[in-house]
Amino acid sequence: MIDPLERWKETGLPDKPDYAGLLTFAGMPYTHDPAELEGVDVAIVGAPVDDLTSDRPGTRYGPRAIRAAGCPPGPHLEARVDGLAELRVVDFGDAPVVPADPAGNHAAIERTVGQVVAAGAIPIVLGGDHSVAEPDIRAVASAHGPVALVHFDTHTDTGEEVFGVEISHGTPMYRLVRDGHVDGARYVQIGLRGYWPGEKELQWQAERGITSFFMHDVRDRGIGAIVEETISIVGEKPVFLSVDVDVLDPAFAPGTGTPEPGGMTSGDLLWACREIASRTRLVGMDVVEVLPTAVASADVTALVAERVVREVLTGIALRRRATQ
């Protein structure tokens, strides 16, 4: 079998500028052959769908924008580790999705993420609207059992339905907990604020032991204390990290479908993602709701989403160092 990383090195392309060559995450080698996932630590998967959004569409363009927001490789200047050098990372391309077929698209996403999981690699999914969390977490839970979930978001996404529709970007966490793919007692939400959902959904969450940290908790207690409690709650159970960029204040992430003022800073989110990845048993991740067509400065949002992934890769590398 041809080693995709060695094949890539032979071309000399790791030294290419970001704007040249095949568009892959951070210039990592591309493969869409499951046989070439052997020995890979992390595989990037695109989920370019937004058929189930309830507000502004356009997040189908998110994966491409996140890939285009890459930066030159090198060590993380604060953590002093280069996750891209210490881990074998490939871009596994996009799940084979088409417009206006949400059921078929979810099946394609679950199947594609499942190939990554079956190979023993950690999938990092680039959305897409947040409905993609349902198939990608389901694929991970199929291999690891019910997972713990750390969920950064303005919204809980635990609606039983949105506008009378049972499957949308506002319902994935309800369905994942209901169907046993996520362990409610080890499910933590961070950054909640705004005006949705209502008391019905919050009561449902409380009955299942879900922990919710609102923005006033983050402001009053500090992100460090919130992350410490989160790590304590999820414990050593396999953890999935789901990041909706609307958890950020629109000043930091204007390009998203349902922006809500009063959110997190990008600095706090980046640090928190790295810390969680370095101190928990991370088995999967997604970053969703990047809407690059929303406003002229939307590439700022794609940039912070790309850096969220880079921080997680740094955290995974730090954990590998600590456990070897």
Side-chain angles (χ1 to χ4, degrees):
M1 186 192 74
I2 298 174
D3 184 327
L5 186 57
E6 291 305 315
R7 181 178 62 195
W8 185 267
K9 286 180 177 178
E10 288 173 4
T11 69
L13 288 180
D15 294 326
K16 72 178 180 65
D18 293 336
Y19 53 80
L22 183 67
L23 181 59
T24 65
F25 184 86
M28 290 294 99
Y30 169 83
T31 181
H32 202 60
D33 182 352
E36 293 190 341
L37 291 175
E38 183 178 348
V40 167
D41 296 309
V42 177
I44 308 296
V45 176
V49 296
D50 60 10
D51 294 319
L52 296 176
T53 188
S54 61
D55 201 349
R56 291 185 291 182
T59 54
R60 65 183 64 184
Y61 302 107
R64 185 178 295 268
I66 295 169
R67 288 181 172 111
C71 70
H76 191 291
L77 293 182
E78 297 170 85
R80 301 298 180 92
V81 60
D82 185 347
L84 293 175
E86 298 204 12
L87 302 171
R88 293 200 61 213
V89 182
V90 300
D91 193 318
F92 199 52
D94 292 341
V97 301
V98 295
D101 183 14
N105 290 341
H106 276 204
I109 294 165
E110 184 172 355
R111 184 168 59 251
T112 304
V113 174
Q115 291 173 331
V116 172
V117 176
I122 298 173
I124 294 182
V125 180
L126 314 178
D129 68 55
H130 214 160
S131 72
V132 305
E134 184 174 352
D136 63 46
I137 294 176
R138 201 162 51 210
V140 171
S142 293
H144 295 282
V147 295
L149 175 61
V150 180
H151 174 198
F152 288 91
D153 206 329
T154 291
H155 314 98
T156 66
D157 292 348
T158 53
E160 189 172 352
E161 59 181 36
V162 176
F163 298 129
V165 178
E166 292 184 357
I167 303 178
S168 87
H169 70 160
T171 64
M173 306 316 180
Y174 166 79
R175 296 169 60 83
L176 287 163
V177 174
R178 181 199 67 183
D179 296 343
H181 303 300
V182 168
D183 180 355
R186 290 183 172 86
Y187 172 12
V188 181
Q189 303 164 336
I190 303 173
L192 305 179
R193 63 191 187 278
Y195 305 90
W196 187 88
E199 194 57 39
K200 173 187 174 183
E201 290 79 12
L202 295 177
Q203 179 62 34
W204 180 88
Q205 293 189 173
E207 291 170 355
R208 282 148 187 84
I210 297 170
T211 301
S212 300
F213 292 118
F214 293 80
M215 268 312 301
H216 64 262
D217 298 310
V218 177
R219 287 192 300 270
D220 295 346
R221 298 178 54 189
I223 190 61
I226 297 299
V227 167
E228 285 297 326
E229 189 168 345
T230 296
I231 291 171
S232 175
I233 290 168
V234 301
E236 290 301 313
K237 193 177 184 69
V239 174
F240 193 97
L241 174 62
S242 187
V243 180
D244 184 330
V245 295
D246 72 22
V247 73
L248 293 168
D249 189 276
F252 300 96
T256 191
T258 52
E260 184 63 47
M264 291 179 66
T265 68
S266 55
D268 278 357
L269 178 63
L270 295 175
W271 175 84
C273 288
R274 182 173 82 242
E275 192 75 359
I276 289 164
S278 69
R279 296 176 57 193
T280 65
R281 186 183 163 196
L282 194 71
V283 293
M285 177 211 175
D286 60 38
V287 57
V288 300
E289 299 289 354
V290 171
L291 205 173
T293 58
V295 291
S297 59
D299 57 344
V300 173
T301 310
L303 178 64
V304 75
E306 196 274 349
R307 295 305 193 269
V308 164
V309 177
R310 292 288 287 268
E311 293 285 352
V312 167
L313 292 172
T314 301
I316 294 171
L318 286 169
R319 182 171 172 84
R320 294 280 178 93
R321 280 188 175 186
T323 56
Q324 286 177 348

